[in-house]
Amino acid sequence: MEKATERQKILLRHLNPIPSSSSSSINHEPSLLSSVNCVAELSPMAAFGDDIVIVAAYRTAICKAKRGGFKDTRPDDLLASVLKAVVERTSLDPSEVGDIVVGTVIAPGSQRAMECRVAAYFAGFPDSVPIRTVNRQCSSGLQAVADIAASIRAGYYDIGIGAGVESMSTDHIPGGGFNSTNPRAQDFPGARDCLLPMGITSENVAERFGVTREEQDMAAVESHKRAAAAIASGKLKDEIVPVATKIVDPETKAEKAIVVSVDDGVRPNSNMADLAKLKTVFKPDGSTTAGNASQISDGAGAVLLMKRSLAMKKGLPILGVFRSFAVTGVDPAVMGVGPAYAIPAAAKLAGLNISDIDLFEINEAFASQYVYCCKKLELDMEKVNVNGGAIAFGHPLGATGARCVATLLNEMKRRGKDCRYGVISMCIGTGMGAAAVFERGDSADYLSNARVANGNGH
């Protein structure tokens, strides 16, 4: 109870900061024992109605590229499945959507932009609903959600969808896909390091910050263990949209109709002994292996956002509140450290300390950077990736951020009142980190309801 009360104080101070000029006056804090009164007195209470909220967040299963359930599924079909789900499951008129922003990374931009528009038609959106793509590499799906939140807050439209899609079966290009690079990059250390293979940056993190092979393998085993437990318990069913598709036999070319509804990259029997046998991939004397790095994968996700006042008017459940978003730059040679800088920045923007965060989803691009960031921030590992991470599920680059929103908010909903704030974060190629803070959807609803009951409207 004391912990919850303190968090309510933090939120109220954030919404109604006391001006510095009043510091000499009587020190007061809003009474939390009488929520109706304190709500009525708060001058910026419109902030509750203006909160940007998530009313739906769904994803496909995440499948192994080239070998998994989506190896023969086109990216527009993947995206269409989640776009359709967020509209149908909320009974929203698709014509009300002001914009759709889709995070995606590997495919040529103009090609993927057209595929996303096609996907919107597949999902039943009318001509009037626009769509665009965004590419901030591994944070693209989260960036899409943040872009929608910012546009709603700016008043450009009332409802939007932030999504992500990646078909690494279709688009994966060995070596990163560079056709050519500017020779001048070699004269600028930062520019030169932007071109490093991601695996080398993983090795750099491990070497520079002393992350051992054993620590990395332990993190991988734990990721698979938690993911397998989440699947076995049925925890992930609420966030996954089953996709009817086909799979083609590589030898006979025979097509078979299937429904994909379970992540297929998870290895329940992963163990330290087996991982220790794997050879390093990027450096002979390194520590990054195929077993302690994220898998290349196929998948999609979509998140429906609007203002709280509109969600309440429509009678839609509020799954989460978008509280803050931050992107920070770091040394490209150790790009994986990004979350260690982005998470504190996002927490500060939300008026919170890292100790206030109850749950974390941190993308496991490589175990080296994941372990380092958690140690650097001194995180309680019982709060981090509680249902496994990208080492187990896979990392469909542009979709990962949207996938994490669905995973985080559904887990926060399950945990209830003891889980108020959650963070999503990931490192970004070329040296960046992104993070966003979310609040559990019903945690502040009693304040909104009290305000309505008090006659102030919403």
Side-chain angles (χ1 to χ4, degrees):
M1 181 63 185
E2 290 181 4
K3 184 177 181 182
T5 299
E6 182 59 28
R7 286 182 177 168
Q8 290 168 355
K9 289 181 181 179
I10 291 170
L11 176 61
L12 291 173
R13 284 199 299 269
H14 180 51
L15 291 169
N16 189 31
I18 300 172
S20 57
S21 61
S22 66
S23 58
S24 60
S25 61
I26 297 175
N27 184 24
H28 72 281
E29 290 197 14
S31 170
L32 297 164
L33 300 177
S34 132
S35 60
V36 172
N37 289 335
C38 77
V39 167
E41 293 169 2
L42 283 174
S43 58
M45 275 310 300
F48 281 100
D50 288 343
D51 281 345
I52 309 304
V53 302
I54 294 90
V55 300
Y58 297 110
R59 66 174 180 96
T60 66
I62 306 301
C63 294
K64 295 178 288 188
K66 305 292 186 181
R67 298 177 292 132
F70 291 141
K71 72 180 184 68
D72 301 306
T73 303
R74 292 185 55 85
D76 39 12
D77 287 323
L78 282 175
L79 179 59
S81 66
V82 288
L83 292 179
K84 189 174 183 179
V86 296
V87 170
E88 290 187 344
R89 296 187 183 189
T90 57
S91 299
L92 182 72
D93 180 349
S95 66
E96 293 185 77
V97 175
D99 200 4
I100 303 170
V101 180
V102 184
T104 187
V105 178
I106 302 177
S110 58
Q111 173 188 323
R112 184 50 46 84
M114 287 187 288
E115 289 172 335
C116 289
R117 179 70 162 158
V118 167
Y121 279 113
F122 287 169
F125 286 85
D127 294 343
S128 58
V129 178
I131 191 166
R132 69 173 171 88
T133 61
V134 60
N135 183 351
R136 202 192 285 270
Q137 303 208 48
C138 299
S139 71
S140 297
L142 186 60
Q143 184 69 57
V145 173
D147 284 2
I148 291 291
S151 293
I152 294 174
R153 190 177 299 282
Y156 297 156
Y157 44 79
D158 296 324
I159 301 172
I161 295 175
V165 65
E166 209 73 60
S167 174
M168 298 180 83
S169 289
T170 303
D171 300 315
H172 181 66
I173 304 173
F178 292 116
N179 293 320
S180 64
T181 58
N182 192 326
R184 291 184 62 220
Q186 300 305 314
D187 299 328
F188 296 81
R192 180 194 63 219
D193 291 344
C194 285
L195 306 177
L196 287 173
M198 293 296 96
I200 293 299
T201 70
S202 171
E203 294 291 5
N204 289 345
V205 170
E207 183 177 343
R208 187 177 300 185
F209 301 108
V211 182
T212 67
R213 167 74 180 269
E214 183 180 19
E215 286 179 303
Q216 294 174 61
D217 287 352
M218 287 175 63
V221 169
E222 188 66 15
S223 184
H224 283 285
K225 176 183 175 182
R226 292 182 177 187
I231 292 172
S233 67
K235 275 187 177 183
L236 306 181
K237 289 183 178 179
D238 289 343
E239 67 193 65
I240 295 178
V241 175
V243 178
T245 186
K246 66 180 181 181
I247 194 164
V248 180
D249 186 296
E251 295 182 2
T252 66
K253 306 303 179 184
E255 295 184 2
K256 179 182 178 182
I258 60 171
V259 175
V260 179
S261 59
V262 179
D263 305 297
D264 67 16
V266 180
R267 298 188 292 273
N269 298 321
S270 180
N271 60 79
M272 294 292 289
D274 288 345
L275 290 183
K277 298 174 185 177
L278 297 177
K279 294 182 179 180
T280 58
V281 178
F282 300 98
K283 290 176 65 176
D285 58 344
S287 57
T288 301
T289 72
N292 59 32
S294 59
Q295 306 173 44
I296 61 170
S297 309
D298 307 324
V303 181
L304 179 61
L305 300 94
M306 62 185 67
K307 284 187 177 180
R308 180 192 292 274
S309 56
L310 183 55
M312 292 175 67
K313 182 178 179 180
K314 289 179 173 293
L316 291 170
I318 297 172
L319 189 60
V321 184
F322 188 94
R323 285 300 180 202
S324 70
F325 176 70
V327 181
T328 60
V330 299
D331 180 353
V334 287
M335 67 91 201
V337 304
Y341 295 86
I343 291 173
K348 184 178 180 180
L349 284 173
L352 300 170
N353 297 313
I354 292 178
S355 59
D356 296 314
I357 307 303
D358 302 292
L359 209 59
F360 296 83
E361 282 288 328
I362 301 178
N363 188 45
E364 300 166 355
F366 298 96
S368 60
Q369 55 85 208
Y370 170 71
V371 170
Y372 167 76
C373 290
C374 292
K375 289 170 68 176
K376 175 68 175 178
L377 297 176
E378 299 181 343
L379 302 183
D380 177 354
M381 297 308 293
E382 293 303 312
K383 297 180 178 181
V384 186
N385 294 5
V386 296
N387 293 316
I391 292 174
F393 293 118
H395 177 23
L397 308 177
T400 288
R403 192 280 295 176
C404 287
V405 174
T407 301
L408 177 77
L409 293 184
N410 276 283
E411 181 62 27
M412 291 175 71
K413 179 181 178 181
R414 279 190 293 270
R415 295 190 172 211
K417 63 181 181 179
D418 293 328
C419 186
R420 182 163 191 171
Y421 297 109
V423 161
I424 292 169
S425 187
M426 62 279 292
C427 59
I428 304 169
T430 72
M432 291 177 278
V437 176
F438 296 83
E439 185 174 5
R440 198 184 76 251
D442 60 354
S443 60
D445 282 357
Y446 76 94
L447 293 173
S448 299
N449 295 335
R451 179 167 175 257
V452 172
N454 206 46
N456 292 323
H458 56 75

